[in-house]
Amino acid sequence: LFPEITDWYIGGHSLGGVAAASYSDSHADKICGSVLLASYPSGKMSENAPPVLSVYGTRDGVMDPDKFREAQPYLPPFSVTEQISGGNHAGFGDYGAQDGDSEATITADKQQEQTAALVFSWVQLLQSQMLGGIK
């Protein structure tokens, strides 16, 4: 459909991240990496799954922190986990407050800017590693 695009990434927020991790794991030949925002895989990802960038906010009141920590070993090799200080669950999107969420200490705009910067840097790192033959 888009032959000029050779490197595809997938991402999702919350339950969308669960779906993105599952798709990436079962389509490792088509995906270069996955971005999980306030999310984690539902089970162990294969060793062949592409790397994951996992980003969460320190004020997230929706995502279960124990399940998040327990899922970290489920991520494939070369995955990276980053936190956004003061960010919450809803701050990754633009849908307003979410029941059960903690109040963020940064604006949603700031959280989204930081998220975009993390994703951009991570993709650049992966691209440089792929060019160097470390995929």
Side-chain angles (χ1 to χ4, degrees):
L1 194 58
F2 297 97
E4 69 279 8
I5 300 175
T6 58
D7 297 328
W8 289 95
Y9 297 82
I10 190 170
H13 170 246
S14 198
L15 289 175
V18 175
S22 176
Y23 183 87
S24 175
D25 195 25
S26 62
H27 294 87
D29 59 325
K30 296 178 170 74
I31 303 293
C32 293
S34 303
V35 177
L36 308 182
L37 305 176
S39 186
Y40 46 87
S42 61
K44 182 161 178 48
M45 297 178 75
S46 73
E47 294 288 317
N48 295 329
V52 168
L53 171 62
S54 176
V55 184
Y56 69 97
T58 60
R59 305 273 305 149
D60 192 320
V62 175
M63 184 181 69
D64 184 319
D66 293 330
K67 288 183 180 178
F68 179 81
R69 278 189 294 279
E70 291 168 8
Q72 292 305 294
Y74 296 167
L75 298 175
F78 308 110
S79 294
V80 175
T81 299
E82 298 282 354
Q83 70 177 16
I84 297 183
S85 293
N88 67 3
H89 197 81
F92 287 109
D94 190 19
Y95 56 86
Q98 184 167 346
D99 287 345
D101 207 359
S102 301
E103 189 170 336
T105 58
I106 61 173
T107 66
D109 284 346
K110 188 60 138 177
Q111 183 170 338
Q112 292 162 20
E113 287 171 14
Q114 289 181 29
T115 302
L118 288 169
V119 171
F120 182 77
S121 295
W122 178 73
V123 168
Q124 282 190 312
L125 176 65
L126 286 183
Q127 294 286 317
S128 68
Q129 289 176 344
M130 284 188 268
L131 291 174
I134 309 175
K135 186 173 180 190

